[in-house]
Amino acid sequence: MSYFQELPSTNSYLKALPAEEITHGQLCLTDHQTKGRGQYERSWQSDARQNLTFTLLFCPSKAERFHVLTLACARAAVAQIEKQTGCPSFIKWPNDILINDKKVAGLLTEAVFNGNKPERLLVGIGLNVNQTAFAETLKGNAVSLKTESGRNIDRERFLSELLTRIEFEYTRWHKQNDELLKWINQKIIGYGEWVGLRVNGNDYGEKFKMLGVEPTGKLAVIDGEGGIKTFAHEQIRVIAD
Ligand code: BTN
């Protein structure tokens, strides 16, 4: 494990490490991330020493299905949040974790290839733990475990239990365990419901019934005429009513 009091980004750190210095399961953790990166080229802001900002590095033999691995990590975080705070928490497709419909955590997964061979997979997690004030730009949409539970949360204990859960889910992912997909689906917002979708940035006028995540990591939906469609992880966002 690498711990840094301050670092621009834990994902960028593990991405830049020479190949001979990486090991499967490696963790990079910082108490103050100064250039945190989010999905869609956005930034991830997190106050120093209040939250959890870390990245796990995996070296799977194949990079396929890696969105399922991201979802498995998100689902493990949901389980840990619920255990340590008692607050019901959910996954908003593709990579956000919400409590009371507001964002408490986000995941950023990046794959590094050597030619067409996957060399490393980085799953970065930013979780608001004890921070209570958020930037205006977040428009009141950000919460932390503390704002929602009213309690200070022990970050070390949270992380250590979460890592144990992720290790277990990694094994289930590796073995392509069907139970894992069911367990993930149960916590995806809109699962089994008719939802609006934004695909490649465009809103569809009609609603789709969300059938859940497929073994490949794609999201399966059914349209009003009964046609089944699947969308890649990054193509699609679920629009809340
Ligand atoms: C998002 O919600 O857009 C994803 C946010 C991911 C943030 C985490 S914090 C640790 C890791 N390092 C980064 O630079 N980003 C991820």
Side-chain angles (χ1 to χ4, degrees), residues 8-12 33 35-40 42-44 52-55 95-96 103 105-108 124-127:
S9 155
T10 53
N11 266 42
S12 303
Q33 194 171 242
K35 278 200 175 142
R37 297 187 289 111
Q39 299 168 66
Y40 315 107
R42 291 197 291 243
S43 65
W44 179 261
L52 284 171
T53 45
F54 64 96
T55 301
N95 285 350
D96 293 347
K103 184 157 169 174
L107 286 84
L108 176 68
I125 304 183
L127 175 79

Side-chain angles (χ1 to χ4, degrees), residues 59-164:
C59 303
S61 48
K62 292 181 186 156
E64 61 193 33
R65 304 186 299 114
F66 70 76
H67 291 307
V68 178
L69 179 59
T70 308
L71 287 163
C73 292
R75 181 62 179 89
V78 162
Q80 184 58 28
I81 289 170
E82 294 191 338
K83 181 187 165 225
Q84 210 163 328
T85 67
C87 298
S89 138
F90 298 91
I91 299 170
K92 179 158 181 226
W93 188 277
N95 285 350
D96 293 347
I97 301 178
L98 310 190
I99 299 179
N100 296 325
D101 291 329
K102 295 189 176 173
K103 184 157 169 174
V104 70
L107 286 84
L108 176 68
T109 297
E110 297 178 289
V112 177
F113 287 84
N114 186 351
N116 54 11
K117 208 175 152 277
E119 188 196 77
R120 61 189 95 168
L121 202 60
L122 310 167
V123 181
I125 304 183
L127 175 79
N128 299 330
V129 183
N130 291 320
Q131 184 171 333
T132 50
F134 295 92
E136 291 239 328
T137 45
L138 298 172
K139 298 186 185 119
N141 198 32
V143 291
S144 68
L145 301 183
K146 182 169 181 178
T147 61
E148 300 316 281
S149 70
R151 294 202 305 261
N152 242 324
I153 302 296
D154 180 337
R155 289 184 301 151
E156 270 178 42
R157 187 179 131 210
F158 189 98
L159 179 63
S160 117
E161 292 184 8
L162 174 57
L163 293 176
T164 306

